[in-house]
Amino acid sequence: MGADRVFAYGAAAGLLGDLLLGDPRRGHPVAAFGRAAGAVERALWRDHRGRGALHTAVCVGGAVSSAALAASAVRSSPAASVALTAAATWAVVGGTSLAREAREIGRALEAGDVDGARERLPHLCGRDPQALDADGIARAVVESVAENTSDAVVGALVWGAAAGVPGLVGFRAVNTLDAMVGHKSPRYRRYGWASARLDDLAGWPGARLTAALAAVAGDDPRGAVRAWRADAGKHPSPNAGPVEAAFAGALGVRLGGTLSYAGRVEHRPVLNGAGRAVRPEDIERAVRLSRRVGWLALGVCAGARLLKRGRTS
């Protein structure tokens, strides 16, 4: 069995496992990586870009090397290779947990329980929940669903198609490090610079594929493309911009605007200004769009592997 079929079968099984099982409550491999990365940070931290770059190299290099060794060990067995790919895909994607958290908040908002929604919002994103009303919480959830569709599903599949199990594991390692140290707090402004820039590079192809598939799978393809082209470049993130703009256009809603992180207020450009304000019921629409985009991404990535093999054979 060729590597193209190994990826296709394994990734499909992994996505199905995520759909049926979600993330494990205990012993998640990503959590174990986070603990290891935290230990490396404690040993290396200095307020210096070079130390941060070393931290990134040690953590990502270690994760990719371990994945490559595991893939090499089972290469002679197609069944074991598919199983390893399935396990890696299940471990690194987070579509079901993303949907679950978003829907919990959506149900709280639709029931009028704004305080309950505020309490759950930190499980999904880093916004200051006390600064948000019901519509602001709904907007934050839709933006997080859009961005994490790329970060937690599509980006991993793109790198899995490109580099197999090491690609899957490496992408999630980069993404996890960015979440840990890639923000612009006083402690990490310099130390986390390398992780943030590497995450921008690794996330670039997945973000564009996510935006394109959101246009294909959404209710308003032309609106998605229009918002993507007009507004993506206004966003401070080179990867969240295309994804959030495309989701906004596809759903017919308006994203962006004023938000607050850890007491710091940011005024971001509005995405899809022609759309209406986000309402709590739009959370379910965003989750369904995210699901469609994830499965379409599997088809695109697996198809690209098969097409590449056909051209080189």
Side-chain angles (χ1 to χ4, degrees):
M1 184 186 299
D4 49 353
R5 292 188 179 183
V6 166
F7 171 75
Y9 297 157
L15 276 189
L16 185 60
D18 176 65
L19 179 65
L20 297 175
L21 303 174
D23 290 335
R25 298 296 183 184
R26 296 182 179 180
H28 198 297
V30 175
F33 172 81
R35 290 191 294 271
V40 174
E41 179 189 341
R42 289 190 293 273
L44 292 179
W45 189 90
R46 297 289 187 279
D47 191 16
H48 189 272
R49 282 187 176 183
R51 284 296 189 109
L54 179 59
H55 177 211
T56 303
V58 168
C59 294
V60 176
V64 171
S65 297
S66 297
L69 286 173
S72 178
V74 299
R75 186 168 295 154
S76 61
S77 170
S81 295
V82 169
L84 178 64
T85 303
T89 302
W90 170 73
V92 304
V93 301
T96 293
S97 294
L98 173 65
R100 182 188 300 124
E101 292 295 339
R103 282 170 167 154
E104 287 285 344
I105 298 169
R107 282 193 286 268
L109 290 175
E110 290 182 12
D113 184 9
V114 178
D115 288 338
R118 288 194 181 108
E119 185 177 346
R120 293 206 66 89
L121 186 62
H123 293 266
L124 191 64
C125 65
R127 307 283 175 88
D128 288 338
Q130 299 307 317
L132 299 173
D133 59 11
D135 289 346
I137 293 171
R139 190 191 77 191
V141 172
V142 171
E143 290 173 353
S144 295
V145 168
E147 184 175 2
N148 282 293
T149 300
S150 176
D151 287 345
V153 182
V154 180
L157 292 174
V158 168
W159 282 99
V165 171
L168 288 164
V169 172
F171 176 81
R172 190 57 190 267
V174 170
N175 191 249
T176 302
L177 277 186
D178 178 62
M180 293 177 67
V181 305
H183 39 88
K184 295 181 179 179
S185 65
R187 177 178 174 86
Y188 295 121
R189 189 176 302 274
R190 282 181 284 270
Y191 187 82
W193 179 87
S195 290
R197 298 291 77 75
L198 183 58
D199 184 68
D200 287 343
L201 290 171
W204 196 96
R208 274 74 194 165
L209 179 58
T210 303
L213 294 178
V216 171
D219 297 334
D220 185 358
R222 290 185 179 180
V225 173
R226 183 168 55 247
W228 178 9
R229 294 180 62 183
D231 299 330
K234 302 174 184 177
H235 198 286
S237 168
N239 295 329
V243 173
E244 291 184 19
F247 263 69
L251 296 169
V253 300
R254 187 170 60 249
L255 300 179
T258 301
L259 51 85
S260 177
Y261 283 102
R264 184 181 75 254
V265 176
E266 294 184 16
H267 301 283
R268 292 185 177 176
V270 172
L271 307 177
N272 192 39
R276 59 169 173 78
V278 179
R279 297 192 289 256
E281 56 266 30
D282 293 317
I283 292 174
E284 179 61 30
R285 295 177 62 224
V287 169
R288 291 199 300 266
L289 177 58
S290 173
R291 284 293 197 193
R292 292 195 296 270
V293 167
W295 286 104
L296 283 172
L298 173 64
V300 169
C301 292
R305 284 294 300 258
L306 291 167
L307 182 62
K308 180 181 177 181
R309 183 190 180 194
R311 287 181 174 178
T312 56
S313 62

